[in-house]
Structures are given as structure tokens and as C-alpha cells.
Amino acid sequence: MPAPETHTGLVRRARRTNRVLAETYPDAGIELDFDNAFELLVVTVLSAQTTDRRVNAVRPTLFAAYPDPASMAAAPREHLEQIVGPLGFFRAKTESLLKLSAALVERYDGEVPGRLEDLVTLPGVGRKTANVVLGNAFDVPGITVDTHFGRLVRRFGWTEETDPVKVEHAIGALFPKSDWTMLSHHLIWHGRRICHAKKPACGACPVARLCPSYGEGPTDPEAAAALVKTQGPA
């Protein structure tokens, strides 16, 4: 029976896994389109319970009509609902955009704040959304604990935590801050393409030998290869 993994061993394995994933996904990055911090904040809020590709499809129409917080805060609700309708939950998402934009105008002179403690006070913005904006619009290191990230860190045996905030702190302790944003991209890309929730493509996984959950999905190379996706979900 192998000896239990030490904390030092866990840190080494986690960082090695990240290095392999960085080599596997050299183009990893956010898959939402945006031109500035406001756009990123809005599209991240809209991406809840839908796909990035669908959000990207409505983005040009949305920001052509309402390019900044002031114009979006004053948008007719019906028109905003019509634009975001294809994303599902359009009434709730419209409400979030109206309140979020109004808060930016009233509290921050129409500018997106660059601090976590400010972002999370905005309507509809939690730590996950805040860290997406910080890491990708402001170059402030942040860990984005979405469903893919949470699933993979538990499969990798990096943590047993399930609460997103506890996961964020546990994983942050294993890596230098400078790695946090790209670590998030690497795991999210891997989760979307290979390490699926129901049937991970274990036989095609570049970090299989570092993963204690190897075998949860098909280990046969051909069967696994058939499960691999070349991009994120539609």
C-alpha cells in the first residue's frame, strides 16, 4: 500500500499537472469575446447556465445598442429582454444587467472597479465572475471556480472541498499567485475538452499518470479519442 501523499508531494504533482496542461493547451484563455472590462463583466454574467458561444453570438447586437453602463442602465427592459432572449432566463438576466449597470453609474462613475471587494458588491456578481474580470481585464491574479474547475481539482485529488470559496483558497495555496489566472484557463479547457463530467476521456488524457481518478472513463485510446472535443461546448 503506497504511503499517503505529503503536502509537498501534492504541491509538486499539482504544479506538474498544470505545466503539462499548459503545454497541451498553449492557446488557453477565456472563450468569451470582449473589448473592455464592462463588456467582460456583462458577458460573464450572461454566461450563467448557457454556453460561451451563445453569449458571443448576441454580444455584437447588445453592445452596439448599449456600449456602456449609462446607456445599458437606461435601456428599455423589453428591448434588452429581446436581445438576451436566446440565452435563457432572459428576464432574470435583464434584471441583473439593468441593476448592475445602474450600480456602476451610481457608485463608480460608470467604470468597472478593479478590486475583488468592490466587484462582489455589484448586483449579480459573485467571486467567480469577479475573478474572471480581474484576471482577464485587469491582469490581477484570480482563480475562477466554475463547475469544470471544481470537478477537476477534486478528481486530481488536490482538494476534497466542494464550497467554491473553500476550493478557491485551497487551490490558491498550492500555486503562486502568478499562476492563478492561467491555471483556471487550463483546467476549464481540459474539463470542456477531455475531462468530461459523465465520461472523461481517460485514455486520451495528457495528465493521466498524475491523476488518482484515472479509469473513471474509458482507458482504451480509441474509445477515449472519440470522446475528445476540439473546442468548448456549443
Side-chain angles (χ1 to χ4, degrees), residues 7-23:
H7 178 73
T8 300
L10 172 59
V11 170
R12 287 176 178 166
R13 181 168 64 84
R15 295 184 182 185
R16 190 173 181 186
T17 300
N18 187 40
R19 287 196 296 272
V20 174
L21 292 178
E23 294 169 359

Side-chain angles (χ1 to χ4, degrees), residues 54-65:
R54 286 178 180 166
V55 176
N56 290 340
V58 306
R59 171 185 165 268
T61 302
L62 177 63
F63 292 116

Side-chain angles (χ1 to χ4, degrees), residues 53-208:
R53 200 178 301 176
R54 286 178 180 166
V55 176
N56 290 340
V58 306
R59 171 185 165 268
T61 302
L62 177 63
F63 292 116
Y66 310 112
D68 52 51
S71 59
M72 190 170 288
R77 182 182 297 270
E78 296 77 12
H79 188 227
L80 206 51
E81 287 182 351
Q82 181 182 358
I83 294 173
V84 304
L87 306 180
F89 303 95
F90 65 92
R91 289 188 179 88
K93 290 183 178 181
T94 296
E95 182 74 6
S96 291
L97 295 193
L98 290 172
K99 288 183 175 179
L100 171 64
S101 300
L104 288 173
V105 172
E106 293 165 7
R107 297 188 222 160
Y108 299 104
D109 297 320
E111 298 292 329
V112 177
R115 301 193 310 164
L116 179 70
E117 52 266 42
D118 294 328
L119 284 167
V120 296
T121 69
L122 296 169
V125 178
R127 289 182 69 93
K128 181 180 80 170
T129 296
N131 278 322
V132 169
V133 173
L134 289 173
N136 297 281
F138 292 103
D139 291 323
V140 175
I143 292 177
T144 303
V145 184
D146 73 350
T147 55
H148 300 290
F149 189 98
R151 178 177 74 252
L152 265 63
V153 296
R154 287 186 288 274
R155 274 187 178 161
F156 290 161
W158 295 356
T159 183
E160 295 181 356
E161 299 289 356
T162 56
D163 176 77
V165 176
K166 291 181 179 178
V167 170
E168 181 185 335
H169 292 316
I171 303 308
L174 301 177
F175 294 88
K177 281 189 177 182
S178 57
D179 288 352
W180 287 0
T181 299
M182 286 310 300
L183 170 70
S184 301
H185 291 319
H186 297 152
L187 266 64
I188 291 169
W189 273 48
H190 190 56
R192 287 176 170 177
R193 289 157 176 78
I194 291 178
C195 196
H196 311 302
K198 293 184 179 178
K199 192 181 283 188
C202 292
C205 180
V207 294

